Amino acid sequence: MKKGVRLILGLIILFFSLPTFGQEKVFTIKGIDVTIKEIFEQIESQCEYKIAYNATKFNAVKKITINIKDKPLQEIMNVVLKDTGCKYKINGKHIVISQNDTKSEKTTSGQMTHIIRGKVTDDSSGEPLINVSVFVNNTTIGSVTDIDGMFVIKDVPIGRFDLIVSYIGYETIIIKEQLLTSAKEGYCEILMREKTTGLEEVIVRPKINKSEPVNKLASVSSRLLSIEESSRYAGAFDDPARMVSSFAGVAGDVSSNAIVVRGNSPQYLQWKLDGVEIPNPTHFPDITGVGGGILTALSSM
C-alpha cells in the first residue's frame, strides 16, 4: 500500500515539474529595425535549433521591425521570411532556409503566374546592355537587366502579353503576342539597335581680351598676339618679332628681326616662353651688330 502511494506521489510531482510537457515551444522576438540575422540569433538562443542558409542567395542583412511574444516558431518564421521569396524546413536540429520553387503559383486573385527570363544585347557588337527596362505592357510588372544583360520578371500572369524593352540611346522594342504557359518559364533573347538622332550645329568661340596679356607681371606696355595675327599682316613673315615693329615705341629693320624698344639695344632684350627665359631665340644672329637675324625660334613657320 505504501509503495502504491509513493508511486502516485512521484507521478504527481513529475507532472507538475514539467508544465510545458506536450505543449509547443513558444518564442518572444522583439526588435526595431534589426537584421534578419539578428532575429535568427534570438531564435537560436531560445531553443536547440541552428538556422542555416546560403548567404549569396538569402539577404540576411535585410532590416525589419518585429514584436512577437509567446508565439510558435512557425508564426515567427512566416513573419521573418515574408516578401523574401524564401521558405524554411526543419531537418533534425537545423532550420534550413531555401528559395521558393519557380513553379507556377496562384496569386491572391486565383490567377496563375510564372516567370520570364531573358537577355538583352547590342545588335551590332553583341555586348550585353546594363539597366535596360523590360516590362509587361499595360502593367507595373517589370525588371531591369544586370551586368550580364540578364533579366527576370516574376509574377507574370499566364497567357498572352506584349513585352516592352526600352533603353536610352536605343530604339524601343515591342515584342507582341508572347505566350506564357504554366508548363515552363518564358525565355527570350532581345537585340537592341542604336537610335540615331540628328542634333543642331553648335559653334563654340573663345572669348579673348587682347588687353590682358599672358604674363600677369607685365602691367603696362603689353599686348596679346596670336599665331593667326602673325601670318595675317604683311611684312610679319609669321614672326612675332617683326610684327611688333609696327607698334608704338618699337623700331625695326626690314632686313632682320632686330627690334628696338624705346631706344634699348636689341641685344639686351629679354625673351620668355611660358615664363622660361630664352637667351637667344634668333637664328643666324648678327652677334657683333644689333643682334637680329632672319627668323626667331618663335616663328610659326
Side-chain angles (χ1 to χ4, degrees), residues 201-209:
E201 181 181 4
V202 178
I203 300 176
V204 180
R205 294 186 177 91
K207 184 178 180 181
I208 301 176
N209 188 358

Side-chain angles (χ1 to χ4, degrees), residues 29-42 59-68 79-80:
I29 306 295
K30 295 182 180 180
I32 299 176
D33 200 23
V34 294
T35 63
I36 296 179
K37 181 180 179 180
E38 293 173 338
I39 296 175
F40 285 167
E41 292 175 353
Q42 293 186 43
N59 185 15
V61 296
K62 178 182 178 182
K63 293 185 178 181
I64 63 174
T65 298
I66 187 171
N67 186 8
I68 299 178
V79 173
V80 174

Side-chain angles (χ1 to χ4, degrees), residues 232-243:
R232 183 197 308 172
Y233 297 104
F237 298 108
D238 300 297
D239 192 342
R242 293 179 182 273
M243 182 178 175

Side-chain angles (χ1 to χ4, degrees), residues 222-293:
S222 300
R223 173 71 184 274
L224 181 64
L225 304 176
S226 66
I227 296 176
E228 189 270 336
E229 287 177 326
S230 65
S231 61
R232 183 197 308 172
Y233 297 104
F237 298 108
D238 300 297
D239 192 342
R242 293 179 182 273
M243 182 178 175
V244 298
S245 62
S246 61
F247 293 165
V250 181
D253 187 7
V254 177
S255 61
S256 71
N257 62 2
I259 56 175
V260 177
V261 181
R262 293 190 177 93
N264 294 304
S265 173
Q267 292 185 351
Y268 300 104
L269 289 178
Q270 186 183 42
W271 296 83
K272 284 187 177 182
L273 180 64
D274 290 337
V276 179
E277 183 179 359
I278 304 175
N280 187 9
T282 304
H283 293 287
F284 309 112
D286 180 11
I287 302 298
T288 60
V290 295

Side-chain angles (χ1 to χ4, degrees), residues 3-300:
K3 292 183 178 179
V5 173
R6 291 176 182 174
L7 180 60
I8 294 173
L9 290 175
L11 292 176
I12 293 174
I13 294 173
L14 178 63
F15 177 79
F16 284 102
S17 65
L18 299 173
T20 60
F21 181 78
Q23 297 180 3
E24 187 177 3
K25 176 71 175 179
V26 293
F27 299 82
T28 298
I29 306 295
K30 295 182 180 180
I32 299 176
D33 200 23
V34 294
T35 63
I36 296 179
K37 181 180 179 180
E38 293 173 338
I39 296 175
F40 285 167
E41 292 175 353
Q42 293 186 43
I43 296 175
E44 291 177 345
S45 65
Q46 300 180 37
C47 66
E48 70 278 10
Y49 291 116
K50 296 296 181 182
I51 301 177
Y53 57 87
N54 188 339
T56 61
K57 296 183 179 180
F58 179 71
N59 185 15
V61 296
K62 178 182 178 182
K63 293 185 178 181
I64 63 174
T65 298
I66 187 171
N67 186 8
I68 299 178
K69 183 178 181 180
D70 297 335
K71 297 295 181 181
L73 177 64
Q74 180 181 0
E75 184 172 338
I76 295 176
M77 294 301 295
N78 290 338
V79 173
V80 174
L81 299 180
K82 183 181 179 181
D83 300 328
T84 62
C86 296
K87 61 182 180 180
Y88 77 95
K89 181 180 180 180
I90 298 177
N91 186 4
K93 297 296 183 180
H94 291 83
I95 302 175
V96 182
I97 308 297
S98 61
Q99 290 184 323
N100 290 327
D101 297 334
T102 58
K103 296 180 180 180
S104 298
E105 298 180 356
K106 287 187 178 181
T107 62
T108 55
S109 61
Q111 186 177 8
M112 299 290 291
T113 62
H114 216 324
I115 293 176
I116 300 175
R117 301 179 186 270
K119 185 176 183 179
V120 182
T121 55
D122 183 273
D123 183 42
S124 301
S125 64
E127 294 294 324
L129 299 178
I130 308 172
N131 290 331
V132 179
S133 297
V134 185
F135 60 94
V136 180
N137 192 21
N138 297 325
T139 68
T140 58
I141 304 173
S143 180
V144 294
T145 57
D146 58 15
I147 192 172
D148 297 319
M150 305 296 294
F151 67 90
V152 178
I153 306 178
K154 300 180 180 180
D155 300 328
V156 180
I158 298 299
R160 293 190 179 276
F161 59 90
D162 295 341
L163 203 62
I164 299 179
V165 186
S166 62
Y167 193 45
I168 297 177
Y170 286 78
E171 297 179 357
T172 301
I173 299 176
I174 302 178
I175 305 176
K176 294 183 174 293
E177 296 296 323
Q178 292 294 298
L179 179 62
L180 181 64
T181 64
S182 60
K184 64 177 182 179
E185 299 177 354
Y187 182 81
C188 56
E189 294 186 355
I190 303 170
L191 300 177
M192 298 197 72
R193 184 179 301 173
E194 291 189 24
K195 180 171 60 176
T196 303
T197 304
L199 301 177
E200 297 182 359
E201 181 181 4
V202 178
I203 300 176
V204 180
R205 294 186 177 91
K207 184 178 180 181
I208 301 176
N209 188 358
K210 290 294 188 68
S211 63
E212 294 182 1
V214 177
N215 186 3
K216 300 297 184 181
L217 298 179
S219 58
V220 296
S221 301
S222 300
R223 173 71 184 274
L224 181 64
L225 304 176
S226 66
I227 296 176
E228 189 270 336
E229 287 177 326
S230 65
S231 61
R232 183 197 308 172
Y233 297 104
F237 298 108
D238 300 297
D239 192 342
R242 293 179 182 273
M243 182 178 175
V244 298
S245 62
S246 61
F247 293 165
V250 181
D253 187 7
V254 177
S255 61
S256 71
N257 62 2
I259 56 175
V260 177
V261 181
R262 293 190 177 93
N264 294 304
S265 173
Q267 292 185 351
Y268 300 104
L269 289 178
Q270 186 183 42
W271 296 83
K272 284 187 177 182
L273 180 64
D274 290 337
V276 179
E277 183 179 359
I278 304 175
N280 187 9
T282 304
H283 293 287
F284 309 112
D286 180 11
I287 302 298
T288 60
V290 295
I294 301 175
L295 295 172
T296 66
L298 306 177
S299 176
S300 60

